[in-house]
Amino acid sequence: MKRRTAWVHADEANGGEAIGVPLNDDAMAVLDKEKGKHPDRVFTYKGRPLDQVNTRAWRNALKRAGIKNFRWHDLRHVWATWHVMAGTTIAELQELGAWKSPLMVKRYAHFAPEQLRSAATRLGTFLGTPGSAENAEARTTSCLIWLPDQGSNLGPAD
């Protein structure tokens, strides 16, 4: 724990390779709180290790929360999406999630409309005065568009 890394052993990982999972301050606080409650395990209930998570208590909690069709794997999508929303790059997320390719990351991480709107606004900043409707035509007419299929640069339509 001194290295602030948890390990998923190779035989437990989908890719067959060990995965080092960096632990943030929140994770470390949870682990520190549980430290010493059991000689071998981190999480226990009434002093006994948790061997099964899909218990009646868990199913009742899902029901009370109004969650239907819960799948543990869905949490991986939520985790990846939260990372992207917090500004984690696709390359960083690929490493954190132990995905082999950026394409796999995109299957898990989903952008919120607000993020895409922010990204769209960056183009206005690049072209000139951001967001100004009066200057939109001037910016558009000064922009060249590259169409790779056509192999040419085209200016504004006549």
Side-chain angles (χ1 to χ4, degrees):
M1 292 282 98
K2 289 179 185 175
R3 293 180 61 197
R4 297 175 58 107
T5 304
W7 286 92
V8 177
H9 296 280
D11 61 335
E12 297 173 335
N14 283 343
E17 296 177 23
I19 303 168
V21 181
L23 301 173
N24 64 17
D25 291 341
D26 293 331
M28 291 302 295
V30 168
L31 294 174
D32 284 342
K33 183 180 173 196
E34 297 301 313
K35 199 175 195 176
K37 292 184 179 180
H38 192 274
D40 300 318
R41 302 289 182 94
V42 175
F43 300 106
T44 61
Y45 178 71
K46 295 185 179 180
R48 295 193 324 230
L50 292 175
D51 290 324
Q52 177 59 256
V53 290
N54 190 21
T55 63
R56 185 180 321 145
W58 174 252
R59 290 188 301 275
N60 287 338
L62 290 173
K63 194 175 198 176
R64 283 192 308 274
I67 299 172
K68 297 178 181 175
N69 302 320
F70 175 82
R71 298 176 306 166
W72 286 99
H73 187 77
D74 293 341
L75 295 178
R76 191 158 161 86
H77 291 266
V78 172
W79 172 83
T81 299
W82 284 354
H83 262 287
V84 169
M85 291 174 72
T88 303
T89 68
I90 297 297
E92 290 169 325
L93 190 53
Q94 182 178 342
E95 289 293 321
L96 287 169
W99 286 292
K100 300 280 186 204
S101 72
L103 185 60
M104 286 302 296
V105 178
K106 289 182 178 186
R107 293 176 81 182
Y108 283 86
H110 310 286
F111 289 95
E114 298 80 34
Q115 287 179 281
L116 297 177
R117 192 174 309 106
S118 175
T121 302
R122 280 186 230 125
L123 186 58
T125 303
F126 174 75
L127 294 174
T129 308
S132 168
E134 306 84 58
N135 296 323
E137 185 177 339
R139 287 194 310 272
T140 303
T141 56
S142 67
C143 179
L144 292 178
I145 301 171
W146 173 253
L147 299 175
D149 295 355
Q150 305 299 316
S152 63
N153 283 319
L154 302 176
D158 293 322

